[in-house]
Amino acid sequence: MASSEEAKLETFMQWLQANGVELRGCKIKWCDSKRGFGIFSDKDVSDGVMLVVPLDLAITPMRVLQDPLLGPACRAMFEEGDVDDRLLMMLLLTVERLRKNSLWKPYLDILPTTFGNPLWFSDDELQELRGTTLYRATELQKKSLLSLYESKVKDIVKKLLTLDGNSEIEVCFEDFLWANSVFWSRALNIPMPRSYVFPEMQDAHDICIREADEKNLKPIATWEVDGTGLASGVPFSMYLISAAQSPLQIDQEIYISYGNKGNEELLYLYGFVIDDNTDDYLMVHYPAEAINTISFSESKTQLLEVQKAEMRCLLPKTSLDNGFFPLNTQNSEENNKSKADKVCNYSWSGQRKMPSYVNKLVFPEKFMTTLRTIAMQEDEVFKVSSMLEELAGPERERQLSDTDVQSAVWEVCGDSGALQSLVDLLHVKMMDLEESSGTEENDLDFLKKTLIIDNHEDSKQCTSNLSTKSNDLEEPKLMTRNKWSAIVYRCGQKQLTRLFLEEAEHALQLSLGEEKVTSPC
């Protein structure tokens, strides 16, 4: 480990000890330039509690409001609704990073100075995301953060630094961008004991509340909260407890889980991707502005509003296991349940038969009913209106529900129009993905011929090593980790688009064949 990192770690360890942090079964070590510092198993502990941190060290909205420097100004803005919980914590991080004598300096110094999420991408790296949902999302997010910084954050931070006697310090957008990335990459949903937030009110039930959102996860360790000290011996603390089935090996790195997230979310929030991620998903949406250009747009818009229509849907990779061409990933019981629940088995006239392929459709029913409504032809619009008028009664004594409208649309239209619209949407998505970067095969081939570099030193070392290999037919190309992550994510999106397009095209052919045999109208 470089001497600078050793010095940072030594100072941080002293700071932890001075603030009551107890490392009982773990130690903190430097990993490498890519991963930074990590927590490693140090010894076996009988109760599984490896690390205890007083809640006073947790950066929370309440902590910001009670801060001697930030509190008065932030309380006024918070009460007026000018800032929310998240912005409060980002403001503290921004100010404390710039303060010369910050109480948080030993902690802030061991955090990364840059991040791998797309907000930190160079222009060249960002171009690798063109055609993906994440490209547009990154553009919008950066524009929004810059606007927030210019309109609110910059002046607030400058004012607070002046009050602290640091008026000469320059504030820049990157300081706020850093605080935003620190927050999103490290925020935990930890329920604070009520008696800690409101000391005058005691609550006997604040014992060892488990961290939320642990469904189907198998992390090595989890954070829990101890309101009384019965679990950790330290009242009002949070502690890291082993969740492993067997004792951890000495020097084993300790992880908590990010959850079952696709590469889009992992890259957007945390700055990394997982190759061949089984939790990947594809987002498909029908552009709302396009509705104004279709026939009978006013009538269809009204029907969509009654149905509480969803204009977009997420298509999980695991749902393909229930489709026509299974991938054999480890799909959950929840996926099977949603498959059974989505079937729309209603027909007023009895002429619209339930499709034979319905249990193989991998597309959400709510999105399908949206596409059915959008795809209706002129005669179908009138038939649906007639059915609904009959159901409502001559005096409109019955209020139509969203299910009533969905039933009428399905009985009149069936699936073929919706599936054709879905095929068209997926074709457009694939064209957008391939426009700047070529096919899925191009991405895979490109990834095979690259070496990842994390910093300037890696680049020099790799260049030196490659120059000695004169016998290679084609030398590998050097690539930044950000660029590699973007291509892995983009390639996964192309793969999912292809797979779901195959599902939609097959379902469309089956639908057309069955609707020719029997038609309700």
Side-chain angles (χ1 to χ4, degrees):
M1 179 171 61
S3 58
S4 62
E5 304 304 335
E6 289 178 349
K8 288 179 183 178
L9 181 56
E10 183 178 353
T11 302
F12 180 57
M13 295 301 297
Q14 293 172 355
W15 182 79
L16 291 178
Q17 185 176 11
N19 285 278
V21 175
E22 300 178 10
L23 279 71
R24 298 181 181 176
C26 63
K27 59 185 175 183
I28 301 174
K29 295 197 317 183
W30 171 257
C31 299
D32 51 46
S33 59
K34 172 193 168 187
R35 294 184 294 160
F37 294 94
I39 299 179
F40 294 79
S41 174
D42 187 33
K43 60 184 177 182
D44 188 28
V45 284
S46 59
D47 60 359
V49 177
M50 295 176 288
L51 172 64
V52 182
V53 181
L55 288 179
D56 285 345
L57 278 187
I59 298 176
T60 66
M62 185 61 68
R63 177 65 187 255
V64 179
L65 296 176
Q66 294 172 346
D67 186 85
L69 175 63
L70 280 71
C74 287
R75 275 197 300 272
M77 292 185 296
F78 187 69
E79 290 169 359
E80 294 174 5
D82 291 337
V83 297
D84 59 14
D85 289 358
R86 295 167 181 170
L87 185 53
L88 283 177
M89 288 182 275
M90 292 179 199
L91 283 172
L92 182 140
L93 288 166
T94 306
V95 171
E96 295 300 333
R97 187 194 195 199
L98 295 169
R99 291 177 73 184
K100 293 179 180 178
N101 299 312
S102 170
L103 295 175
W104 299 92
K105 180 174 173 56
Y107 167 62
L108 300 180
D109 282 349
I110 68 164
L111 295 178
T113 55
T114 61
F115 293 83
N117 68 64
L119 290 172
W120 295 82
F121 279 19
S122 67
D123 290 341
D124 180 54
E125 291 166 344
L126 193 59
Q127 290 306 305
E128 300 295 344
L129 294 175
R130 288 190 70 88
T132 69
T133 304
L134 198 49
Y135 180 78
R136 180 61 175 158
T138 301
E139 283 189 324
L140 293 174
Q141 188 191 22
K142 197 160 191 175
K143 183 178 180 181
S144 174
L145 288 173
L146 185 58
S147 174
L148 181 60
Y149 170 77
E150 293 290 351
S151 64
K152 192 172 295 183
V153 172
K154 184 178 180 180
D155 290 340
I156 295 172
V157 172
K158 190 65 178 175
K159 175 184 175 181
L160 293 171
L161 288 173
T162 300
L163 289 174
D164 193 46
N166 294 294
S167 58
E168 76 284 359
I169 295 178
E170 290 297 324
V171 185
C172 64
F173 174 61
E174 188 174 291
D175 295 318
F176 179 56
L177 188 62
W178 174 88
N180 176 80
S181 295
V182 167
F183 173 82
W184 283 110
S185 62
R186 282 156 174 77
L188 290 174
N189 181 19
I190 297 179
M192 290 289 185
R194 183 176 179 81
S195 54
Y196 175 77
V197 180
F198 305 103
E200 71 282 1
M201 300 176 64
Q202 297 300 315
D203 190 337
H205 299 291
D206 290 326
I207 301 175
C208 197
I209 305 175
R210 180 169 295 276
E211 179 184 351
D213 196 25
E214 291 184 7
K215 61 179 181 179
N216 300 324
L217 306 181
K218 294 182 179 179
I220 292 179
T222 60
W223 282 107
E224 300 193 7
V225 172
D226 188 357
T228 65
L230 292 181
S232 67
V234 181
F236 300 129
S237 66
M238 51 190 288
Y239 59 97
L240 192 67
I241 186 167
S242 174
Q245 298 284 334
S246 55
L248 298 177
Q249 296 180 359
I250 301 301
D251 235 21
Q252 179 179 355
E253 188 167 6
I254 299 170
Y255 301 98
I256 60 174
S257 176
Y258 283 89
N260 303 110
K261 293 178 171 60
N263 280 342
E264 189 162 283
E265 190 174 0
L266 290 175
L267 185 56
Y268 188 64
L269 293 179
Y270 308 113
F272 70 91
V273 296
I274 299 173
D275 203 3
D276 195 24
N277 189 346
T278 56
D279 292 310
D280 243 348
Y281 57 79
L282 185 73
M283 197 275 278
V284 180
H285 80 283
Y286 187 92
E289 63 274 12
I291 293 180
N292 296 326
T293 66
I294 62 177
S295 59
F296 297 93
S297 60
E298 186 174 341
S299 298
K300 292 179 180 179
T301 299
Q302 292 175 354
L303 292 173
L304 290 170
E305 289 175 353
V306 174
Q307 295 176 86
K308 303 179 182 65
E310 296 183 359
M311 305 300 292
R312 64 183 63 199
C313 71
L314 292 180
L315 302 175
K317 187 176 186 178
T318 52
S319 68
L320 289 163
D321 283 341
N322 299 318
F324 301 107
F325 312 107
L327 289 180
N328 296 318
T329 59
Q330 294 180 347
N331 56 317
S332 65
E333 293 180 5
E334 185 177 336
N335 285 333
N336 292 326
K337 182 178 183 299
S338 64
K339 170 63 68 175
D341 289 346
K342 82 171 193 175
V343 178
C344 292
N345 190 9
Y346 34 64
S347 176
W348 295 342
S349 66
Q351 296 180 23
R352 172 70 68 185
K353 303 300 182 183
M354 184 59 59
S356 63
Y357 54 81
V358 70
N359 287 323
K360 290 289 187 179
L361 278 182
V362 297
F363 305 104
E365 176 60 24
K366 284 194 174 182
F367 191 61
M368 285 292 292
T369 198
T370 296
L371 295 180
R372 289 186 193 109
T373 305
I374 291 172
M376 281 194 295
Q377 301 299 311
E378 179 178 356
D379 62 320
E380 293 173 330
V381 173
F382 289 122
K383 288 173 184 176
V384 168
S385 298
S386 177
M387 293 178 74
L388 294 175
E389 287 174 3
E390 180 182 347
L391 183 62
E395 303 297 329
R396 294 187 179 274
E397 57 268 19
R398 176 176 171 180
Q399 183 72 31
L400 296 177
S401 68
D402 56 342
T403 302
D404 293 330
V405 178
Q406 291 168 9
S407 301
V409 172
W410 180 80
E411 181 158 351
V412 169
C413 303
D415 289 333
S416 59
L419 288 168
Q420 182 61 65
S421 295
L422 185 57
V423 167
D424 293 341
L425 287 175
L426 290 169
H427 270 300
V428 170
K429 191 169 188 70
M430 184 63 87
M431 288 173 59
D432 290 341
L433 287 167
E434 294 181 345
E435 183 178 6
S436 301
S437 56
T439 65
E440 177 187 345
E441 289 72 22
N442 289 343
D443 285 345
L444 290 171
D445 186 58
F446 190 64
L447 289 170
K448 289 177 183 177
K449 299 176 181 178
T450 57
L451 290 175
I452 302 171
I453 56 173
D454 288 313
N455 50 49
H456 184 61
E457 290 302 316
D458 285 350
S459 177
K460 290 195 298 183
Q461 182 64 45
C462 287
T463 302
S464 175
N465 290 342
L466 290 175
S467 64
T468 64
K469 298 180 180 180
S470 56
N471 295 329
D472 289 349
L473 295 176
E474 184 176 356
E475 292 184 353
K477 294 181 173 58
L478 301 184
M479 179 189 297
T480 65
R481 185 164 298 277
N482 289 348
K483 194 169 185 178
W484 178 85
S485 296
I487 297 174
V488 169
Y489 156 66
R490 183 184 72 203
C491 184
Q493 292 291 287
K494 291 176 183 177
Q495 179 199 47
L496 289 178
T497 303
R498 170 177 58 81
L499 294 172
F500 281 111
L501 181 56
E502 291 173 0
E503 292 281 334
E505 288 176 333
H506 189 70
L508 175 60
Q509 294 305 312
L510 294 175
S511 174
L512 290 171
E514 294 191 12
E515 288 180 11
K516 286 179 182 178
V517 174
T518 174
S519 175
C521 305

